[in-house]
Structure formats: C-alpha cells, structure tokens
Amino acid sequence: MSTGRRELWVEEPVGRRRLPDPVRTAAVRAWLIAALTLIQAVVAYLFTLAGSWLAFPLVLSTIAGTVVATWSVLDVWVTRQVWKQRNGVVSEPSSTARQLRRERRMARRAAREAGRIRKQRARAARRSARRGETVPEAAPETAGDAPAQVPAGELGATGTGRQGAPAARAGRGELSRA
C-alpha cells in the first residue's frame, strides 16, 4: 500500500567513520575553546575601537585564550595518536596494534590446531580400543611436526628411539597412525 510519497527522514550513509569517544570529546572541547577565543578577540577589537577601558584586560585574556586553544588542538592530536596506538591499526608496518593483533591471531590458530590434534588422537585411541588393539604412547609433538620414524634395529636398551620416544610396535603388519 504505497502512496508514492517520500519519507520525512531518510538516513544517508556517512562518508567517514565516527571518531572514537575520547578523540571526539577532545575535539568538541577544542572547538568550543577556539570559538570562545574567537568571539573574545572580536569583542576586544570592538572595545579597542570604542576606546573602552575594558579593551586592555580583554586583549590580555584573548592572548591567554589563544594559548589555551592551541593547547586543546594539540590535545586532540595527541589523544588521536594514543587511541590509534592502543586500539586501532595505523597503516605502517611498525604499528603496535597490528603486531599485537597478529600475535593474538597466531596464538588462536595454534590453540585451534592443538585442539584438533588432541581430538584426532582421542578418536584414534577410541577406534583402536574398540578393535582391541593396543596403542603405543606417543611423545608430545609440536603442531605440524611429523612423528619420528625409528628403524627397528636402532632401538636402545630402554626400548626407545633416538629422541627418547617409545618405539612403535608394529603388530599384524599395520602401520601406526599419528
């Protein structure tokens, strides 16, 4: 049931992202201080033209206001840089945030891979337990490493291979799976 009329309020996509809260508050503060200083400078100029005795104190306070306005603009810049270093990614290879994000991503991947390996080993142990086979204890491996293959003739007196891992007992002509 369209009447063909346009709605009163139409949202349009914004060209830029919204500033982070600390940066936005610093920017609003800087704009207010700069606007008040500009108004103060115009009033001081008009008082000077009128020859009022209030012109001199107003000029001095305008100079102080200019220093404060400059300081507040620098505060916006510093706040923006600090926020980017802590939370955002600067488009530079030396960005602290990018390095931290990369380290977290690598840690998550390593944890997922370790979880997958644990699940695979548990499944293999359950499968072999159902078949009645004995599964040799495997040495803990790092993710991505292949299990060590030790020839039968190179076993030491303890029954372990070169790396201290228990030797794989091949039974019934089957290959052991890692």
Side-chain angles (χ1 to χ4, degrees), residues 170-175:
R172 291 184 267 167
E174 295 178 10
L175 295 175

Side-chain angles (χ1 to χ4, degrees), residues 1-118:
M1 188 168 130
S2 173
T3 59
R5 293 174 30 183
R6 282 183 41 190
E7 292 191 24
L8 183 61
W9 186 269
V10 178
E11 290 259 349
E12 293 182 8
V14 180
R16 279 194 284 179
R17 285 183 152 172
R18 179 176 163 157
L19 285 174
D21 286 339
V23 179
R24 195 170 70 247
T25 55
V28 168
R29 187 173 44 242
W31 275 106
L32 287 174
I33 292 171
L36 289 175
T37 303
L38 203 63
I39 291 170
Q40 193 175 9
V42 169
V43 170
Y45 176 71
L46 292 175
F47 277 11
T48 304
L49 289 180
S52 173
W53 64 272
L54 286 172
F56 182 69
L58 204 54
V59 166
L60 290 179
S61 67
T62 302
I63 292 170
T66 304
V67 171
V68 172
T70 306
W71 187 263
S72 67
V73 170
L74 283 174
D75 178 48
V76 173
W77 182 71
V78 169
T79 305
R80 183 171 169 259
Q81 295 301 324
V82 167
W83 191 90
K84 276 186 171 182
Q85 280 294 315
R86 288 185 183 161
N87 305 310
V89 175
V90 183
S91 297
E92 297 175 3
S94 63
S95 170
T96 306
R98 178 175 287 163
Q99 182 179 359
L100 291 174
R101 194 176 280 176
R102 184 181 302 129
E103 289 170 3
R104 279 182 290 199
R105 195 169 44 236
M106 288 173 60
R108 280 195 306 263
R109 283 181 187 160
R112 271 196 310 253
E113 185 65 27
R116 278 191 208 119
I117 291 172
R118 253 186 270 116

